[in-house]
Every structure is written in C-alpha cells, then in structure tokens.
Amino acid sequence: MPNAFSRIAAFTRSITKVPSEQRDAACRTLLDTLGVAASGAGTSAGLASLDVAHEIWGSGSSSIWFSTKRLTPSGAAFVNSTFASSLDLDDGHRAAAGHPAAAIVPAVLALSESQEISGHKMLSAIAIGYEVAVRAAASRDINELRTTDTGLWCGYGVAAAAGWLMQLPEDVAAHAMAIAGQTATGQFGTGWTRLGHTVKEGIPWATANGLQSAFLAAAGHTGPLDMLDEESLYDQRVLVSGLGDGWAIEHAYFKRYSCCRWAHAAIDAAVQLKERLGVSVLEIDEVVIETFTRALSLPNQAAPDSSEAAQYSIPFCTSVALVRGAAALMPLKHESLGDEEVLALASKIRLVASPLYAGSFPATTPAKVTLTVRGRPVTLEIVHPKGEPGNPMSDEELNAKFAVLTSRGPLSQTQSKAVADAVHALLDDAPTRPLFHALCNPS
C-alpha cells in the first residue's frame, strides 16, 4: 500500500484544473483573504513583518501586497500571510478547526506571480492546497490534541499547492509535504500561555516553511514519507479516501468579527437578544454564555492588555458588540481595549461549559446566551453563527465585507475596485497580471 503522501501527490498530479464549483469557492476565499489582509497590513504584526522581511529573505520576484516591495516567494508569502492572519478575520474550516486560506492564498500568489499563470490555474491551486491542508488536519482526533493551531498543519497544503504549480514529479511532491510536516511549527505555548502575542497560530511561519519545503524537495531533500501513516494518530479514511469526490473549500466558513470563531455564536446571540429586547447596555445585569468546553481554554480575559489577547476573549468581544455594535468588530480596534463601558460590561459576562454541547466541537461551535435585564433572564441559542455553511454569508455580504475592510486603507477606492474586479475576472480564466498590478501599485 503506497504511503499517504504518495497517494495525495498522485492525486494532485492528476489534476489539470479543478471543476467550476471549486473555482467559484476558491474565488470567494481569495477575495475574502485579500480584504482581510488589507485591513491586517496596518497591525503591529503586519508592520513588523514588513520591516524585517528583506533582511531575513532578501529581494526576489514576489510582491508584498499593498506595497512596491518584492521578496523571495517565501518572504513575500510570510509577510502577506501575516497580513491575512493578524486580525483573526480570516476564513476557516470546521473539519480542520483552523484557518487554511491565510496560508494557502499567500503561498499560491507568491508562486503564481513569476509564472504569469491563468486565472483558472490560480484558483485551482488554491483549491488543491486547501484540500490537502484540511484533510491533514481533519484526519487527527482534534479533541485529543493540546492545540488545534493552524501552523501545525497548513504547511501540508502549502507544499501541495506549490508542488502542483511547480509541476514537481509525484515522488518529489510527496517529499515536499513530508518535509513541511516534519518541520512544522511546534506552537508549544498554546494551551497554557495566557498572554496575547503576535505569533498566535504560527500561520506565516508554516506558510514560508511550506514553500521552502517544496524548493528543498525539488533540490533533492527528502522527508519522512510515512509520517502520516500511523493509523492511531491519523484516520486514513479521512486523509486519503475519496480524493476528488468532494472538496473542502466548498465548506469554508467566513467571519464577520475579528476574533476567535469560538466567540461568534455568543456574539450573534447576544446582539440579537439586545436588539429584540430594545434595551440599553446599562439595563443589563448579567450575561451568561453557555458554550462547549474547549472554548473555556481560551485566555478569555475580561480586560485584555493587547489586541491579540482581545481576539481570544469571548467576554470582551461580546461586550464590544453589545456596547458599540457588531460593526466595532470589523475589525476590532486597539482603542477598544481602554473603552470603560466595554470593560464594565465584560466584567458582568460569565462563561459556562454546558453538557448540552459535549462532543459538538469541532463540527459546530455553539453557544446559548442569557441576558438578565432588570432581573428578567432571556435566552437565545445559536448553533451555526453567521458565515458557517449552515448559515452562509451571501456573495453580496462577502463583497460588502471586502469593501468595508479595504475602505480604511491601504487601498484607495479605485484600487479596491480594481482588486475585486481582477479577482472576479479569474472565474473567466482572465490572466492574473491585473490582480498583481492592482495589489502592488498603491495609489
């Protein structure tokens, strides 16, 4: 029986281009990622990565988005991935319990630029990388893992997409994925650190590493091809069965709030309850959020001291939405950390692990919220927060999200429209050069 990497490599090598439904899904993912990245470019993490990337990787042919700078593909992908992941607004997938696009999209674009590939080929590469990354993540028993951090597994998809674009032979492509897996980020602090930090899930590091793994494999490096064959750790049915029968990218979720997805059901429920009751924040005595047990493993600080800590606080982000409206989480701003009204309400929010939701994660991330107003409790449950495949955002809503996130810089209105038009044109197999021109020539 061939090892899993070889079977996956054979599958990817057999693809000329993915079907139209998957290209449509990849187009939505691409547009969403670019909008999120535009907003994330101004974060402390984004600016730090941009400042030092040339010193680390040196000049090359791949563009850093929203700038005129060019680096090696790995360097550009690292910076662009930082932009895409820094606000926790990037898309995700339930089966993987993480965020594939913030790795796959920057990697594919970094390689595509020098090749001047067609629109269909770019979208196909995104779908292929997404598929491999999600399968690798979903093949594990996520409930038995210390952390679900994306940096542990997104590199498989990056290496797979890179191998496909580089037309690596099957055996070389298999080694690229194995190298990426063997050298993936460790994420050792996740699970017990209570401090906010910009490394977060390690997505940019795994993105750069996945591309470097493809180049290393092409030069003759080899990886442990059997590392995913241990059946006690990786479900082979999930990993390699039915390749091509269904595609993970069609089941991505998209975010309306720049915070951990585990908070979104609570935020949706709390905002809907407040609107239904027509009450002011001052009338709320207490907020109780019943959710799945793993959500309580987040730092959940009522008074976070950094934007990153805020992103992983269900009480704080729920309070922001109740006090300032849901739009205040698109994206979450650093100034919110000192908002006295937000902090006051956040201190009244209590999290409870509910036995009702035992076993719900990762398939769902539900929450039941009870607002007590003037001594009267009112409850609402949300199983599928907005943006899930079971409660999807429409194309119009995704376009509106892109417009909001790009309206505050670094793109001009004209440039933002040019990026959106170029992304949508890829569905008609338009060339990719107009997209790079719009992304990398700030007005």
Side-chain angles (χ1 to χ4, degrees):
M1 176 72 69
N3 60 68
F5 282 132
S6 296
R7 295 173 69 181
I8 294 170
F11 163 69
T12 60
R13 197 73 174 89
S14 71
I15 298 170
T16 302
K17 65 180 178 181
V18 304
S20 61
E21 293 85 355
Q22 286 74 55
R23 296 199 302 273
D24 289 346
C27 185
R28 291 192 291 273
T29 291
L30 173 58
L31 183 71
D32 186 72
T33 304
L34 293 176
V36 170
S39 192
T43 62
S44 59
L47 294 172
S49 293
L50 179 64
D51 284 347
V52 302
H54 185 272
E55 183 177 349
I56 297 171
W57 277 285
S59 300
S61 59
S62 297
S63 298
I64 297 178
W65 303 336
F66 327 120
S67 79
T68 57
K69 295 182 179 180
R70 291 178 177 269
L71 301 176
T72 65
S74 296
F78 178 89
V79 178
N80 295 333
S81 179
T82 306
F83 293 168
S85 61
S86 61
L87 285 169
D88 221 323
L89 255 174
D90 43 323
D91 86 333
H93 197 283
R94 287 266 58 83
H99 310 281
I104 305 303
V105 169
V108 167
L109 266 63
L111 278 182
S112 298
E113 189 168 8
S114 61
Q115 297 184 19
E116 297 188 28
I117 63 174
S118 70
H120 283 181
K121 189 168 185 179
M122 175 182 283
L123 296 176
S124 294
I126 292 171
I128 289 168
Y130 208 103
E131 181 71 16
V132 173
V134 170
R135 279 179 175 263
S139 68
R140 309 165 302 165
D141 185 349
I142 289 174
N143 288 300
E144 295 298 319
L145 299 176
R146 176 181 58 81
T147 172
T148 62
D149 280 1
T150 304
L152 297 171
W153 50 267
C154 64
Y156 295 118
V158 170
W164 187 78
L165 285 170
M166 296 164 66
Q167 298 185 306
L168 298 181
E170 287 180 23
D171 60 333
V172 178
H175 279 292
M177 289 182 280
I179 295 168
Q182 179 69 1
T183 57
T185 59
Q187 299 302 112
F188 296 111
T190 306
W192 57 81
T193 180
R194 315 313 285 174
L195 302 177
H197 55 87
T198 55
V199 175
K200 295 172 66 178
E201 295 195 34
I203 298 173
W205 286 264
T207 302
N209 184 60
L211 282 179
Q212 291 171 157
S213 297
F215 291 126
L216 287 166
H221 263 284
T222 60
L225 292 179
D226 61 349
M227 69 175 292
L228 296 186
D229 295 344
E230 178 53 63
E231 294 188 10
S232 65
L233 298 177
Y234 302 98
D235 186 330
Q236 300 303 300
R237 179 186 57 80
V238 174
L239 186 61
V240 295
S241 293
L243 285 164
D245 293 342
W247 290 79
I249 200 165
E250 292 186 274
H251 307 290
Y253 67 72
F254 298 98
K255 288 186 170 185
R256 296 194 297 172
Y257 315 128
S258 62
C259 58
C260 179
R261 187 60 170 178
W262 301 355
H264 286 224
I267 295 169
D268 281 355
V271 170
Q272 289 179 37
L273 279 175
K274 180 173 179 286
E275 292 175 350
R276 181 187 301 174
L277 296 171
V279 299
S280 73
V281 170
L282 294 177
E283 296 175 279
I284 299 174
D285 302 321
E286 183 185 42
V287 182
V288 176
I289 299 172
E290 299 175 70
T291 187
F292 57 101
T293 301
R294 192 138 195 169
L296 273 66
S297 69
L298 297 175
N300 286 318
Q301 298 166 356
D305 59 4
S306 69
S307 294
E308 291 74 28
Q311 292 167 14
Y312 294 107
S313 173
I314 298 173
F316 182 81
C317 291
T318 302
S319 181
V320 169
L322 286 171
V323 174
R324 300 302 173 200
L329 295 170
M330 181 68 91
L332 176 65
K333 298 179 179 62
H334 186 77
E335 307 87 79
S336 298
L337 302 181
D339 190 321
E340 293 298 333
E341 290 184 68
V342 169
L343 295 172
L345 181 58
S347 68
K348 299 179 182 180
I349 297 177
R350 182 161 55 93
L351 295 180
V352 178
S354 172
L356 292 174
Y357 302 133
S360 62
F361 178 79
T364 58
T365 53
K368 181 187 292 184
V369 175
T370 300
L371 258 61
T372 301
V373 179
R374 297 188 297 274
R376 178 186 168 216
V378 184
T379 299
L380 178 63
E381 179 185 51
I382 298 288
V383 175
H384 300 290
K386 185 68 173 179
E388 294 287 327
N391 185 16
M393 292 175 69
S394 66
D395 287 344
E396 290 75 17
E397 288 172 318
L398 285 172
N399 289 334
K401 174 183 175 182
F402 177 85
V404 168
L405 292 177
T406 57
S407 66
R408 304 183 180 116
L411 302 175
S412 67
Q413 186 174 3
T414 299
Q415 190 184 7
S416 174
K417 183 179 184 303
V419 171
D421 288 347
V423 169
H424 290 131
L426 300 178
L427 291 172
D428 296 321
D429 209 21
T432 55
R433 180 172 290 279
L435 174 59
F436 290 109
H437 180 79
L439 279 173
C440 305
N441 290 277
S443 302

